[in-house]
Amino acid sequence: QGRLVQSGGGSVQAGDSLKLSCVASGDIGRRNGREFGDHTVGWFRQAPDKQREGVAAMTADGKTMYAEFVKGRFTISRDNAKNSVYLQMDSLQPEDTAKYSCAILALWLGDKTPLQALGLLGYSDTEGQGTLVTVSP
């Protein structure tokens, strides 16, 4: 057993930056002979009264993908040696206010892209507990 433990987040003003971290503990990601680094990882968010949406993803081979609303402002990265994934968020805006969660995606996503899968239930192998990011004008 294991889990994804998140850190970072908080309350900032528009234009500020934050970095979210997510560490996989225990045997998370280590199943069927596979390691954390074999999985696509990513971040999703959910604002009050809004649907969950995929924010950023990084595949096992390092390919990144971003939602249009964060392109050029957010950067996802991972350190497989530390079983960790990060989200650097720059130029934060009030509309970025949400609960942010990391996820290790399942190896099979069907016809969904990683960003689509992050925005849906049922495609994550494991999800973090979520951390609140609040951006004031």
Side-chain angles (χ1 to χ4, degrees):
Q1 287 285 335
R3 57 191 182 124
L4 292 176
V5 180
Q6 295 183 220
S7 60
S11 298
V12 297
Q13 293 188 320
D16 286 349
S17 298
L18 281 174
K19 185 174 184 178
L20 305 181
S21 299
C22 176
V23 181
S25 66
D27 66 352
I28 289 296
R30 298 174 181 170
R31 297 177 185 174
N32 300 320
R34 295 184 181 272
E35 299 288 332
F36 173 84
D38 295 323
H39 293 263
T40 293
V41 294
W43 295 86
F44 63 92
R45 71 185 188 185
Q46 188 161 19
D49 300 322
K50 291 190 177 180
Q51 287 189 335
R52 164 173 165 163
E53 52 188 4
V55 174
M58 180 176 252
T59 63
D61 59 359
K63 180 181 177 182
T64 58
M65 51 210 80
Y66 297 94
E68 285 297 324
F69 50 80
V70 302
K71 271 185 181 178
R73 300 189 298 123
F74 290 14
T75 304
I76 187 172
S77 60
R78 66 191 297 170
D79 184 339
N80 292 332
K82 296 181 179 179
N83 289 342
S84 297
V85 57
Y86 309 97
L87 186 67
Q88 176 67 44
M89 305 184 292
D90 298 321
S91 301
L92 283 161
Q93 299 300 315
E95 52 267 33
D96 294 318
T97 294
K99 182 179 181 182
Y100 286 74
S101 300
C102 58
I104 296 175
L105 288 178
L107 292 175
W108 185 83
L109 301 179
D111 62 350
K112 299 294 185 288
T113 68
L115 278 182
Q116 291 173 333
L118 285 166
L120 299 169
L121 292 172
Y123 289 91
S124 298
D125 189 60
T126 310
E127 296 180 355
Q129 80 276 19
T131 185
L132 187 60
V133 172
T134 303
V135 186
S136 302

